[in-house]
C-alpha cells in the first residue's frame, strides 16, 4: 500500500461526527470496519451518503473508509456525506475552481458543501420538552 494517496476530512450533522478518508480504489465503502450495506439499515441512507460520489462520477474511483460516532443513522449519514464532500474538494483543490465542471461548483449547486446547523433544542424547566407545555387545566 505504499505510495497510495489519500484525502481526509471531517463531517458533522446533529450529534454525529465522521472522519472520512478517500483513497484511490474500486468504490468500497467501509463504516467502522463494516461494509456500508451491513452498517446502514436502509438502502435510502446508503444512496444518500453516496450522493457526492455519484454526482461527480467517482463511485468506482475511490475507496471510502469512515469512522463515525454519535447520533442515529440519519445524522451519521449526513455527517458521512459532508465528510465525503469535503474530501472530494481537497482532492480537486489543484484544479481551476472557476470552471463549471469543478467539483466545488457541482457539489455547491447540489447543496452538499454547507453544513446543516439544525440540532435538537434543549429542554426548558417547567416544560415537558423544548416547547411542549403541560396541558392547561382551567379547574
Amino acid at each position: 500500500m505504499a505510495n497510495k494517496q489519500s484525502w481526509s476530512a471531517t463531517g458533522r450533522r446533529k450529534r454525529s461526527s465522521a472522519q472520512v478518508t478517500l483513497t484511490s480504489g474500486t468504490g468500497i465503502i467501509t463504516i467502522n470496519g463494516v461494509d456500508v450495506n451491513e452498517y446502514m439499515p436502509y438502502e435510502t441512507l446508503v444512496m444518500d451518503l453516496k450522493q457526492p460520489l455519484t454526482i461527480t462520477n467517482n463511485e468506482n474511483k475511490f475507496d471510502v473508509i469512515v469512522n463515525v460516532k454519535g447520533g442515529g443513522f440519519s445524522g451519521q449519514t449526513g455527517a458521512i456525506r459532508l465528510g465525503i464532500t469535503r474530501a472530494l474538494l481537497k482532492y480537486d483543490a489543484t484544479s481551476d475552481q472557476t470552471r463549471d465542471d469543478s467539483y466545488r461548483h457541482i457539489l455547491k449547486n447540489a447543496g452538499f458543501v454547507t453544513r446543516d446547523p439544525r440540532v435538537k433544542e434543549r429542554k426548558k424547566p417547567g416544560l415537558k420538552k423544548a416547547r411542549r407545555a403541560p396541558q392547561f387545566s382551567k379547574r
Side-chain angles (χ1 to χ4, degrees), residues 9 13-14 23 43 51 55 65 73 92 110 119 129 134 139:
R13 170 84 165 76
K14 294 187 178 182
T23 55
E43 189 60 38
Q51 278 180 324
I55 206 167
I65 299 146
F73 287 115
D92 195 47
V119 292
K129 290 166 61 177
R139 282 171 201 89

Side-chain angles (χ1 to χ4, degrees), residues 18-87:
Q19 276 295 126
V20 178
T21 306
L22 287 184
T23 55
S24 48
T26 57
I28 298 164
I29 300 176
T30 312
I31 302 174
N32 293 347
V34 182
D35 183 61
V36 67
N37 295 310
E38 288 178 42
Y39 187 85
M40 290 291 169
Y42 308 112
E43 189 60 38
T44 51
L45 293 176
V46 176
M47 285 170 32
D48 195 31
L49 71 84
K50 283 183 181 177
Q51 278 180 324
L53 296 169
T54 307
I55 206 167
T56 56
N57 297 322
N58 286 319
E59 284 177 282
N60 301 320
K61 191 175 176 184
F62 295 109
D63 285 344
V64 183
I65 299 146
V66 181
N67 190 11
V68 66
K69 60 181 189 285
F73 287 115
S74 176
Q76 288 185 354
T77 300
I80 294 167
R81 186 170 82 171
L82 182 62
I84 291 172
T85 300
R86 287 178 171 171

Side-chain angles (χ1 to χ4, degrees), residues 4-5 40 46 66 77 83 95 99-100 103 108 112-113 119 124 129 131-132:
K4 214 172 193 189
Q5 207 169 6
M40 290 291 169
V46 176
V66 181
T77 300
S95 72
R99 294 188 8 228
D100 284 350
Y103 286 178
K108 186 92 172 146
F112 297 152
V113 177
V119 292
K124 277 66 161 203
K129 290 166 61 177
R131 299 182 185 212
R132 170 76 174 108

Side-chain angles (χ1 to χ4, degrees), residues 90-105:
K90 281 186 182 178
Y91 164 74
D92 195 47
T94 55
S95 72
D96 181 17
Q97 298 299 311
T98 58
R99 294 188 8 228
D100 284 350
D101 63 340
S102 73
Y103 286 178
R104 179 157 194 86
H105 188 267

